């Protein structure tokens, strides 16, 4: 029987170190001589409550910054997530009798659980749109997977030959990835590359439609007549289907609205909240295409090669993949309700 009860800081650090190294609960218990219950409890406390500093202060190299200094450093991080290591060290040393070096700052931050990361990029959601997102979530909180199977999701996306990951970095702990202070807001923008439009439902993927120029209302209308109407009537012959689109300007044009009115007896347009890519599972299919593009052994060197690669990747997305995304809609709705219309992890 392994050791139970409270562990010393050193023992706690050993538990966390073993689990973070990839050992299972059983393997950690056998290696360290503690019970499986103790291993699970200690690691859960560290993961959920951030008890990093208390666990690691007594492990390994002596910590040169005491608990009070760590609290001071933590406040500096909270005040400016984008501060560089030099700036944090300079600000910390102001008014302190004993100065520290940047290396000490780095070591202390790591012991506190902070690492330099690129911030998640999320759309900037206005107060008005938060309310609309919350209203949508409340209206659909009782929908089941069977209901979401009746939705056909659509979107357009642009893929670039070259990518830029940005140079902004922030300091955060493992569990702060979606903290508002750790995010970078984005707005929609254009650029060079290949633009494609596509749609899918629980049942199947539509073919992708390359767009050789910027998508305006006229081009969008041609997509509707050639692709949306055949898809909806084939997949939902009982006229119980919903067509989803976001609120891009060309989607809201008068000629598009009139087209919908002409076919409103065959399918329903889902009223979609603004600034809600996290609610649209189609965004994750674009992510799949993007990841596969980056994983290619031979990267496209021109737009023609890029388009061919995109179409090939899209055609080979598995049914399990897009059905799993449709199945995630109930969780997405719950996530929006939880943050009262704000940005979710999706």
């Amino acid at each position: 029987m392994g050791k139970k009860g409270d562990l010393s800081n050193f023992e706690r650090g050993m538990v966390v170190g073993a689990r973070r190294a990839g050992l299972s609960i059983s393997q950690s218990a056998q290696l360290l001589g503690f019970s499986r219950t103790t291993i699970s409890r200690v690691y859960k406390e560290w993961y959920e409550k951030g008890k990093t500093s208390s666990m690691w202060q007594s492990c390994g190299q002596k910590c040169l910054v005491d608990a009070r200094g760590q609290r001071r450093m933590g406040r500096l991080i909270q005040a400016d997530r984008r501060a560089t290591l030099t700036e944090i060290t300079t600000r910390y040393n102001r008014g302190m009798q004993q100065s520290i070096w940047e290396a000490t700052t780095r070591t202390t931050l790591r012991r506190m659980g902070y690492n330099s990361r690129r911030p998640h990029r999320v759309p900037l959601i206005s107060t008005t749109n938060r309310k609309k997102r919350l209203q949508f979530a409340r209206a659909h909180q009782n929908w089941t997977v069977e209901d979401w199977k009746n939705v056909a999701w659509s979107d357009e996306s642009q893929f670039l030959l070259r990518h830029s990951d940005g140079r902004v970095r922030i300091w955060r702990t493992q569990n702060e990835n979606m903290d508002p202070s750790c995010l970078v807001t984005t707005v929609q923008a254009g650029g060079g590359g290949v633009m494609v439009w596509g749609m899918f439902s629980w049942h199947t993927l539509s073919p992708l439609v390359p767009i050789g120029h910027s998508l305006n209302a006229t081009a969008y209308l041609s997509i509707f007549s050639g692709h949306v109407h055949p898809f909806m009537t084939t997949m939902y012959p009982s006229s119980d289907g919903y067509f989803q689109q976001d609120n891009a300007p060309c989607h809201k044009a008068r000629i598009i609205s009139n087209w919908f009115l002409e076919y409103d007896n065959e399918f329903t347009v889902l009223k979609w909240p603004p600034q809600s890519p996290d609610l649209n599972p189609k965004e994750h299919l674009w992510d799949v295409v993007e990841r596969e593009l980056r994983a290619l052994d031979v990267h496209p060197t021109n737009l023609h090669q890029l388009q061919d690669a995109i179409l090939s990747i899209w055609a080979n997305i598995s049914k399990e993949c897009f059905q799993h995304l449709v199945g995630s809609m109930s969780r997405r709705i719950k996530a929006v309700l939880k943050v009262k219309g704000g940005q979710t992890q999706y």
Side-chain angles (χ1 to χ4, degrees), residues 13 19 63 69 71 93 159-160 163 168 180 196 243 245 248 284:
R19 295 289 285 119
C63 186
R71 289 194 297 270
N93 287 335
F159 297 89
L160 305 178
H163 307 274
V168 175
V196 291
F243 175 74
Q245 62 175 358
H284 289 260

Side-chain angles (χ1 to χ4, degrees), residues 72-192:
R72 173 182 171 85
M73 197 169 290
R75 289 193 297 269
L76 293 174
I77 293 294
Q78 297 292 329
D80 185 3
R81 295 279 188 173
R82 301 186 186 187
T84 64
L85 202 63
T86 300
E87 290 171 337
I88 296 171
T89 305
T90 301
R91 294 167 187 173
Y92 177 88
N93 287 335
R94 289 173 184 166
M96 299 293 288
Q97 293 183 346
Q98 183 176 1
S99 298
I100 61 173
W101 298 95
E102 289 183 16
T104 303
T105 301
R106 181 187 295 106
T107 300
T108 302
L109 288 174
R110 287 178 177 172
R111 291 189 177 187
M112 294 170 65
Y114 287 101
N115 287 285
S116 178
R117 310 282 190 186
R118 288 194 176 93
H120 283 266
R121 296 181 176 272
V122 297
L124 180 61
I125 302 176
S126 66
T127 302
T128 299
N129 289 339
R130 282 179 67 109
K131 293 179 180 178
K132 292 180 180 180
R133 284 165 54 84
L134 185 57
Q135 290 171 356
F136 179 87
R138 287 171 175 168
H140 296 85
Q141 61 183 325
N142 294 323
W143 275 33
T144 65
V145 175
E146 293 303 313
D147 296 310
W148 293 113
K149 285 181 180 181
N150 291 331
V151 178
W153 311 90
S154 73
D155 193 25
E156 59 273 351
S157 184
Q158 190 172 55
F159 297 89
L160 305 178
L161 277 173
R162 297 175 180 83
H163 307 274
S164 174
D165 294 327
R167 298 185 178 183
V168 175
R169 300 186 73 89
I170 50 95
W171 293 93
R172 65 169 175 83
T173 60
Q174 182 177 9
N175 300 323
E176 291 183 316
N177 59 311
M178 291 306 295
D179 187 282
S181 64
C182 299
L183 303 176
V184 170
T185 56
T186 63
V187 296
Q188 292 179 333

Side-chain angles (χ1 to χ4, degrees), residues 331-342:
R331 297 191 297 274
R332 294 169 189 260
I333 293 294
K334 289 179 180 178
V336 173
L337 291 171
K338 184 177 180 180
V339 295
K340 295 180 171 48

Side-chain angles (χ1 to χ4, degrees), residues 220 245-257 269-272:
Y220 197 47
Q245 62 175 358
D246 61 25
N247 294 278
C250 65
H251 299 176
K252 313 301 289 185
R254 183 181 297 275
I255 58 174
I256 301 300
S257 300
V269 178
L270 189 65
K271 189 175 181 180
W272 194 249

Side-chain angles (χ1 to χ4, degrees), residues 252-288:
K252 313 301 289 185
R254 183 181 297 275
I255 58 174
I256 301 300
S257 300
N258 291 339
W259 190 92
F260 281 136
L261 289 175
E262 184 178 350
Y263 296 99
D264 63 354
N265 62 326
E266 298 184 23
F267 61 90
T268 303
V269 178
L270 189 65
K271 189 175 181 180
W272 194 249
Q275 297 179 301
S276 299
D278 55 333
L279 278 172
N280 188 354
K282 187 71 165 61
E283 297 287 346
H284 289 260
L285 288 185
W286 295 141
D287 290 341
V288 171

